[in-house]
Amino acid sequence: MRDIRVSDITMREAAASKALSLSFKEKLEIVKILDRIGVAAIEVEGIESSKVDSLRIKSIASLVKNSTLAVPVKMDDASIEAVWSAAKGAQRVRLQVEAAVSPSTMEYIQCKKADALIDDAARAVAKCAELTDDVEFVAIDATRTDVAYLAKVIEAVTRAGAKTVTVCDAAGSMLPEEFAQFIGDLFKAAPQLAEIELGISCCNNLNMADACAVAGVMAGASLVKATSYPMGVVALDNAARILAAKSDALDAQCHVRVTELKRAMNQIARLCCEDRSKAAQFTGSVSEAVEGVVLTAGDDQDTVMQYVERLGYSLSDEDAAAVFEAFKKIAASKERVGATELDAIVASAALQVPPTYILEGYVINAGLSFKATSHISLRKDGEAIEAVSLGDGPIDSSFKSIESVVGKHYELDDFRIQAVTEGREAMGESIVKLIADGRVYSGRGISTDIVESSIRAYINALNKIAYEEQN
């Protein structure tokens, strides 16, 4: 019986279509859910902005324990090295080389001739294969090109080291029978596919993506790309259930935990819900409360404070004045100030208090074969208090250690990381939002170490809570 693997592409499809904006916190939560239910691979966006995206991938890599983390690369050495450096902390990493192989897209969008594309794709795959033995080549619009040419591409990339080749029906114009015929013809034209994993990705333009995926599996495909939230492609829950129910007929089995699917899909749906204005307060990320807000230097303090309140903050007159003053400085140099910038301004300008807790030191242990542990020492009233905790990654274990020191649990409403400088020793800025007694407290931390910046941000927010409780 063949093993059929399911690769989740929710985050990649969301970024590519721009139909869904996921916060950093939401992406981490989705990764945890998918890793738990047994998808073979979790695909994330690649690196577009080296200052931010590498931090995102590193954080996700620390959470993925059971699945493979799949990340796309561009066809140049710098991109490949940057992606590998960010993702290599995961237990299993797949580098993905993508190329449009249809004549129109190849020549008019990628500005490449047919032979040049084959050479470039093979060279990129070979470079990836030097770093990992799990390399995937993705033919973005495979059904719109000649099978004979596609076979030449597959021959070149498999010779260069690709262990997986995925063909995409980006047009979504095929019936299940037509897609099965396409896969069958491809196996005949490219016999190398019998030795590697063939993946398929089907668009749902005709509302037949799930049926086409099953037809592709029956024709010999062993990897199906799907999303855990409706995104116009194969649906993960449908694909997994069909494969589980018809395993004997298909002579194939899928290792996604079907019994946990409904609960997992509901959790992901809540994270991805686009109608966020109807969601309960504090159930989403920071930007959800004021999604789409754009403030300018011409806005007065009352207008700015209205949006600050919608973010969940309740500021004193003194803090409101400090936030507005900081807002004016930012707005003077930027054409627009959005929800994310406004939240960072509040975190850095409001409720600056004497520290109740001071970070004395920390030791983090994280690796491939055991859970992350965090040993944190805080000083309160001159006394050092220490705690050690296990967690899903260094940041999760660190937050749990801090909670152990304090003896209280606070709801984590939002958590974001971004780079504030460039280069190998870039400074990372973390924003942490905690909820206590129905109020939101935001903390900010900066360090060249993203774990340390996260710890400092959490303690910064914690000190604001402690100050309010004491006074």
Side-chain angles (χ1 to χ4, degrees):
M1 184 172 285
R2 294 185 300 140
D3 283 334
I4 306 301
R5 294 154 58 83
V6 177
S7 183
D8 185 90
I9 58 173
T10 304
M11 284 177 279
R12 292 204 56 191
E13 285 294 310
S17 66
K18 300 188 185 302
L20 181 65
S21 178
L22 296 172
S23 70
F24 180 81
K25 173 189 172 184
E26 290 163 345
K27 290 177 181 179
L28 294 185
E29 291 301 319
I30 290 172
V31 166
K32 290 179 183 179
I33 295 168
L34 294 173
D35 192 50
R36 187 181 70 241
I37 65 173
V39 297
I42 301 171
E43 302 190 21
V44 300
E45 315 99 290
I47 294 180
E48 295 295 334
S49 169
S50 59
K51 295 189 296 183
V52 176
D53 291 337
S54 61
L55 294 176
R56 169 181 52 80
I57 294 172
K58 284 180 182 178
S59 299
I60 290 174
S62 70
L63 297 177
V64 180
K65 305 301 181 185
N66 305 307
S67 305
T68 294
L69 176 63
V71 192
V73 301
K74 297 178 182 177
M75 290 191 200
D76 64 77
D77 291 355
S79 171
I80 294 170
E81 293 284 358
V83 169
W84 173 250
S85 177
K88 63 183 180 181
Q91 293 196 20
R92 286 173 292 277
V93 180
R94 171 175 294 175
L95 297 182
Q96 301 172 304
V97 177
E98 300 177 328
V101 293
S102 67
S104 58
T105 307
M106 190 191 316
E107 294 194 23
Y108 296 106
I109 296 180
Q110 295 192 170
C111 300
K112 291 184 184 294
K113 297 293 184 180
D115 291 341
L117 179 72
I118 293 177
D119 292 340
D120 289 349
R123 184 199 58 76
V125 167
K127 175 63 178 177
C128 291
E130 294 175 3
L131 302 171
T132 175
D133 60 359
D134 193 349
V135 182
E136 177 184 4
F137 174 76
V138 181
I140 295 174
D141 49 358
T143 58
R144 290 188 288 193
T145 194
D146 180 62
V147 170
Y149 174 71
L150 185 55
K152 290 182 180 180
V153 177
I154 292 172
E155 180 184 7
V157 297
T158 53
R159 191 188 308 119
K163 296 296 192 294
T164 302
V165 171
T166 295
V167 292
C168 306
D169 179 19
S173 58
M174 285 189 167
L175 297 173
E177 294 81 3
E178 293 175 309
F179 191 67
Q181 183 65 50
F182 169 75
I183 297 298
D185 292 343
L186 196 56
F187 269 107
K188 294 176 183 177
Q192 301 86 358
L193 290 175
E195 306 298 325
I196 64 170
E197 184 176 64
L198 174 63
I200 54 176
S201 177
C202 305
C203 186
N204 201 34
N205 286 350
L206 296 179
N207 295 321
M208 290 190 177
D210 299 341
C212 284
V214 174
V217 168
M218 295 178 70
S222 54
L223 172 71
V224 176
K225 293 183 183 280
T227 58
S228 47
Y229 184 76
M231 300 289 290
V233 294
V234 177
L236 187 152
D237 52 344
N238 289 344
R241 288 194 181 98
I242 293 170
L243 292 170
K246 305 299 291 184
S247 60
D248 291 337
L250 297 171
D251 191 29
Q253 59 183 349
C254 172
H255 296 289
V256 175
R257 298 186 180 89
V258 178
T259 55
E260 298 181 34
L261 263 180
K262 183 175 181 180
R263 177 171 177 268
M265 295 302 99
N266 287 339
Q267 290 175 324
I268 292 174
R270 284 195 294 270
L271 292 168
C272 296
C273 178
E274 294 178 294
D275 190 11
R276 299 177 181 185
S277 62
K278 296 180 182 179
Q281 191 179 21
F282 310 133
T283 58
S285 68
V286 54
S287 58
E288 293 173 8
V290 286
E291 192 173 10
V293 61
V294 175
L295 297 169
T296 67
D299 290 307
D300 59 19
Q301 182 170 332
D302 288 341
T303 301
V304 174
M305 287 306 110
Q306 287 177 13
Y307 287 109
V308 168
E309 289 177 5
R310 288 173 61 185
L311 279 169
Y313 297 107
S314 177
L315 303 182
S316 65
D317 292 343
E318 181 180 355
D319 281 333
V323 167
F324 183 64
E325 190 64 28
F327 163 80
K328 288 195 296 183
K329 292 179 181 178
I330 297 296
S333 59
K334 292 190 64 173
E335 185 177 346
R336 302 175 178 181
V337 175
T340 301
E341 290 91 346
L342 184 60
D343 190 68
I345 291 170
V346 176
S348 60
L351 199 58
Q352 299 305 307
V353 300
T356 301
Y357 297 95
I358 299 173
L359 179 64
E360 287 281 290
Y362 65 89
V363 176
I364 309 294
N365 289 310
L368 298 180
S369 57
F370 53 88
K371 296 194 75 171
T373 61
S374 175
H375 180 182
I376 288 185
S377 175
L378 302 182
R379 184 168 294 277
K380 179 184 180 184
D381 299 328
E383 178 186 357
I385 312 172
E386 301 180 356
V388 178
S389 297
L390 296 173
D392 294 326
I395 293 174
D396 182 56
S397 62
S398 296
F399 288 179
K400 287 180 178 177
S401 290
I402 296 172
E403 288 183 349
S404 296
V405 169
V406 177
K408 291 183 180 180
H409 170 74
Y410 296 104
E411 183 182 350
L412 180 63
D413 180 63
D414 197 16
F415 170 50
R416 288 175 288 115
I417 298 175
Q418 64 182 14
V420 293
T421 60
E422 297 182 345
R424 297 182 64 180
E425 299 297 325
M427 297 288 289
E429 178 187 59
S430 298
I431 301 292
V432 168
K433 291 179 66 177
L434 302 177
I435 298 177
D437 296 326
R439 293 186 60 186
V440 179
Y441 297 84
S442 187
R444 177 173 178 259
I446 294 179
S447 173
T448 54
D449 184 327
I450 60 172
V451 177
E452 181 178 335
S453 70
S454 303
I455 292 171
R456 292 188 179 279
Y458 194 103
I459 294 172
N460 184 230
L462 178 63
N463 279 327
K464 294 176 182 180
I465 297 173
Y467 181 81
E468 290 283 284
E469 291 175 345
Q470 294 166 6
N471 293 277

